[in-house]
Amino acid sequence: MAKDPVRVLVTGAAGQIGYALVPMIARGVMLGADQPVILHMLDIPPAAEALNGVKMELVDAAFPLLKGVVATTDAVEACTGVNVAVMVGGFPRKEGMERKDVMSKNVSIYKSQASALEKHAAPNCKVLVVANPANTNALILKEFAPSIPEKNITCLTRLDHNRALGQISERLSVQVSDVKNVIIWGNHSSSQYPDVNHATVTTPAGEKPVRELVADDAWLNGEFISTVQQRGAAIIKARKLSSALSAASSACDHIRDWVLGTPEGTFVLYGCLL
Ligand code: NAD
Ligand code: LMR
């Protein structure tokens, strides 16, 4: 029997992450290839026409799993009945800025959208905050939506996790899918600590610790950490825009593993409000 559709909210859906993210959700990357979805897309009035363009493209792509699209500038309409909320709406930093520099602009958004979510989302709605500063915005959302269970409010550090996997895979010339169990401690900011002390690589001879295979503590304790910490800034320098496809893909990984579980023997530590 076909599953009931899951309603997924994406705020900031007319922006660059939104544009990369909504087709992934509609294709089943976030919730599974057998899970129908209804997309709720929110943006602000100046972006209404662009948002409608995204809706037109979703229709044109004829995604079999996509059972409906709500495209709106009204937060209440956007939040009504949603089971998963991916909060991307906000302003990205530019070259030379830290993520905390967009705090004053973005934090107020999370105050007002928290109450719309609290009042109108489905019970047990799972929330992922992507907009920066992600941990702070998630904290604000928690404060202003006290009836959403604290454990349901998370923010995106899965991108940092995936970046760490990518760096190890490049360094060892192994498949990224064979590297697992890195941990990102701390905030999604340049003070985070990417930790490989429990990380392993699947090799023909079994699971091997990353530290043993890399055999270069100076690199692991130095360049590896700073590369992951500064990767967001490096992407902005190269693209003149902040990361989008990797952020969207990591948001899908975050929700998928949260809802469907990680593969056996694999863990991911979420950006949460400890
Ligand atoms: P963008 O500027 O391309 O898109 C943001 C969208 O949000 C725009 O369409 C804008 O109109 C919309 N918006 C602004 N205020 C809004 C509001 N009150 N309600 C709804 N929508 C609103 O930016 P982007 O590149 O998509 O990045 C979005 C955010 O995600 C930024 O804050 C960026 O720094 C952050 N980000 C976080 C991570 C992470 O790993 N946590 C990774 C990449 C980007
Ligand atoms: C990232 O890590 O790519 C995002 O947080 C965007 C940024 O400002 O670095």
Side-chain angles (χ1 to χ4, degrees):
M1 203 174 73
K3 293 179 169 179
D4 288 337
V6 169
R7 290 180 182 271
V8 182
L9 166 66
V10 176
T11 71
Q16 49 148 7
I17 296 176
Y19 191 70
L21 179 59
V22 292
M24 292 182 191
I25 298 171
R27 221 172 236 298
V29 176
M30 177 178 278
L31 291 166
D34 62 345
Q35 178 58 66
V37 291
I38 297 174
L39 270 168
H40 289 219
M41 304 194 297
L42 176 69
D43 214 295
I44 49 176
E49 197 178 349
L51 187 67
N52 193 41
V54 178
K55 180 177 178 180
M56 287 159 65
E57 286 207 67
L58 285 168
V59 171
D60 294 350
F63 294 109
L65 288 173
L66 187 60
K67 301 303 177 195
V69 181
V70 176
T72 180
T73 57
D74 175 23
V76 171
E77 185 185 3
C79 292
T80 297
V82 297
N83 310 99
V84 174
V86 188
M87 312 298 286
V88 185
F91 299 91
R93 66 171 165 158
K94 302 276 185 303
E95 207 171 335
M97 293 164 80
E98 283 293 329
R99 295 183 185 93
K100 64 178 173 0
D101 297 334
V102 288
M103 191 178 301
S104 59
K105 275 183 154 181
N106 288 349
V107 154
S108 59
I109 297 173
Y110 287 84
K111 251 183 179 176
S112 64
Q113 290 180 359
S115 56
L117 262 186
E118 169 166 59
K119 289 195 191 103
H120 302 285
N124 210 30
C125 175
K126 289 182 163 55
V127 182
L128 166 59
V129 179
V130 174
N132 279 315
N135 300 73
T136 310
N137 292 337
L139 185 67
I140 298 292
L141 197 149
K142 176 187 88 91
E143 292 298 317
F144 289 86
S147 68
I148 299 180
E150 203 166 304
K151 67 177 171 49
N152 282 20
I153 300 177
T154 61
C155 69
L156 191 67
T157 50
R158 179 62 180 258
L159 176 55
D160 308 290
H161 177 106
N162 287 346
R163 284 169 173 164
L165 296 178
Q167 289 303 306
I168 299 294
S169 141
E170 296 263 291
R171 173 77 183 197
L172 292 173
S173 299
V174 297
Q175 297 298 318
V176 74
S177 53
D178 288 333
V179 187
K180 64 183 184 198
N181 298 345
V182 299
I183 299 173
I184 303 296
W185 299 105
N187 283 352
H188 175 66
S189 76
S190 49
S191 62
Q192 66 177 261
Y193 177 67
D195 173 0
V196 293
N197 291 315
H198 306 276
T200 61
V201 178
T202 308
T203 74
E207 293 293 309
K208 298 280 180 197
V210 162
R211 277 210 180 268
E212 183 184 314
L213 292 177
V214 172
D216 182 351
D217 279 347
W219 183 79
L220 280 173
N221 299 338
E223 192 183 331
F224 162 72
I225 290 178
S226 58
T227 299
V228 177
Q229 286 173 334
Q230 297 297 336
R231 191 66 159 187
I235 304 283
I236 293 171
K237 187 161 187 287
R239 297 184 72 229
K240 314 298 172 221
L241 284 170
S242 61
S243 64
L245 85 86
S246 54
S249 180
S250 300
C252 290
D253 289 344
H254 177 119
I255 297 287
R256 190 199 55 240
D257 286 351
W258 189 2
V259 173
L260 302 175
T262 53
E264 192 158 347
T266 309
F267 57 78
V268 179
L269 210 76
Y270 279 156
C272 55
L273 301 169
L274 295 177

